[in-house]
Amino acid sequence: MAGFFGSLRALGRAGLFAVSVLRASVPTRDFLAELIKEIYKIGARSLPIIAVGGGFVGLVLTLQGYRVLSIFGATDALSMSLGVALYRELAPVLTALLFIGRAGSSIAAELGLMRATDQIKALELMGIDPLAKAVAPRFWAAVLTVPLLTAVFCSLAIAGGYFEAVHVIGQDNGVFWSTLRSNVDVHDDFRVAFLKAIVFGAVSALVAAYVGFHSEPTIEGTSIATTRAVVNASLLVLMLNFVMSALWFQ
């Protein structure tokens, strides 16, 4: 029972932290300047790994999908299976996991280092809200950039799947695109990916910021917080994806 109530207290503290971050999100000039800087740091710098990951995911999904569908003589549905799998499930989840590994760990490490070097206390002594200065810009940068990164992931995955299907396997170009257009609703299916990406971006940033902000003020505490942020955020994204898919597609 002690562990259960401890988990409830931790969940309550995390909820209060999230509310405090939202209350600290006042669109001042300094806030917008920090936001733009964080968008570049955690968004633009994540583009290479997202683009490469998306391309190779599209290649391997097409390759394995063709092998399975060829057993049933349904290879014309290759692009449909690729599009549905990407837009509804794989693109937002894999983008979020790559984002957590690239940017979430950075958020936790930076805030943990600020805690270890007393920069957070210094901000409080100067009358500056550390949540508004250090946490809120990172949170909103993640909320804004993860959906855009998901769009990049989808585009590169579809391009990789097209290359594998048409130029390597030899499927007809017209069959690939016509099947994709007629069976995958880009508006509705991408809306699912977009909404999931917003939720996953917010959750991953909040978990990383909470763990880093409340880490032990030591170098070891910073390293532990970084690892914990990546693990907890990744597991939470996977669990939320199941819940959202179960509610959306029931």
Side-chain angles (χ1 to χ4, degrees):
M1 291 298 292
F4 174 74
F5 287 114
S7 299
L8 286 181
R9 284 193 296 269
L11 185 61
R13 287 193 296 268
L16 292 175
F17 179 81
V19 172
S20 299
V21 171
L22 294 177
R23 292 178 59 185
S25 303
V26 180
T28 61
R29 180 180 298 179
D30 291 338
F31 174 83
L32 294 177
E34 288 291 329
L35 177 62
I36 293 173
K37 184 174 70 174
E38 292 300 328
I39 287 175
Y40 172 75
K41 285 174 58 180
I42 69 176
R45 289 184 176 179
S46 299
L47 271 175
I49 187 173
I50 297 296
V52 173
F56 279 104
V57 167
L59 288 171
V60 73
L61 278 179
T62 304
L63 177 63
Q64 296 300 331
Y66 178 80
R67 292 179 177 176
V68 173
L69 292 173
S70 62
I71 299 175
F72 305 98
T75 54
D76 287 350
L78 182 59
S79 59
M80 179 192 67
S81 63
L82 173 66
V84 170
L86 280 174
Y87 287 124
R88 294 187 179 184
E89 300 295 339
L90 291 179
V93 173
L94 293 179
T95 301
L97 293 179
L98 291 173
F99 178 83
I100 291 167
R102 164 62 183 83
S105 59
S106 175
I107 293 173
E110 289 174 357
L111 293 176
L113 187 60
M114 290 180 68
R115 174 70 68 182
T117 55
D118 292 328
Q119 295 181 51
I120 293 177
K121 288 184 179 180
L123 290 174
E124 293 173 345
L125 289 174
M126 291 187 293
I128 300 174
D129 185 0
L131 292 178
K133 178 68 175 178
V135 178
R138 290 174 168 85
F139 167 75
W140 287 109
V143 172
L144 293 173
T145 56
V146 172
L148 299 178
L149 293 173
T150 301
V152 173
F153 188 98
C154 288
S155 300
L156 269 296
I158 293 294
Y162 167 78
F163 175 81
E164 178 71 22
V166 175
H167 297 287
V168 177
I169 296 174
Q171 188 178 55
D172 182 72
N173 175 70
V175 170
F176 181 91
W177 290 116
S178 63
T179 305
L180 184 65
R181 285 196 300 266
S182 60
N183 293 281
V184 178
D185 192 316
V186 176
H187 174 72
D188 290 337
D189 289 326
F190 188 72
R191 182 176 59 184
V192 175
F194 188 77
L195 292 176
K196 283 186 175 183
I198 293 175
V199 174
F200 296 163
V203 167
S204 59
L206 278 176
V207 171
Y210 175 78
V211 174
F213 193 83
H214 295 92
S215 64
E216 293 293 329
T218 61
I219 299 300
E220 183 182 3
T222 301
S223 64
I224 293 174
T226 303
T227 303
R228 186 177 298 167
V230 172
V231 173
N232 292 350
S234 299
L235 291 177
L236 194 55
V237 163
L238 294 173
M239 288 187 289
L240 284 175
N241 178 65
F242 170 75
V243 173
M244 294 179 70
S245 295
L247 294 175
W248 198 289
F249 301 113
Q250 61 181 355

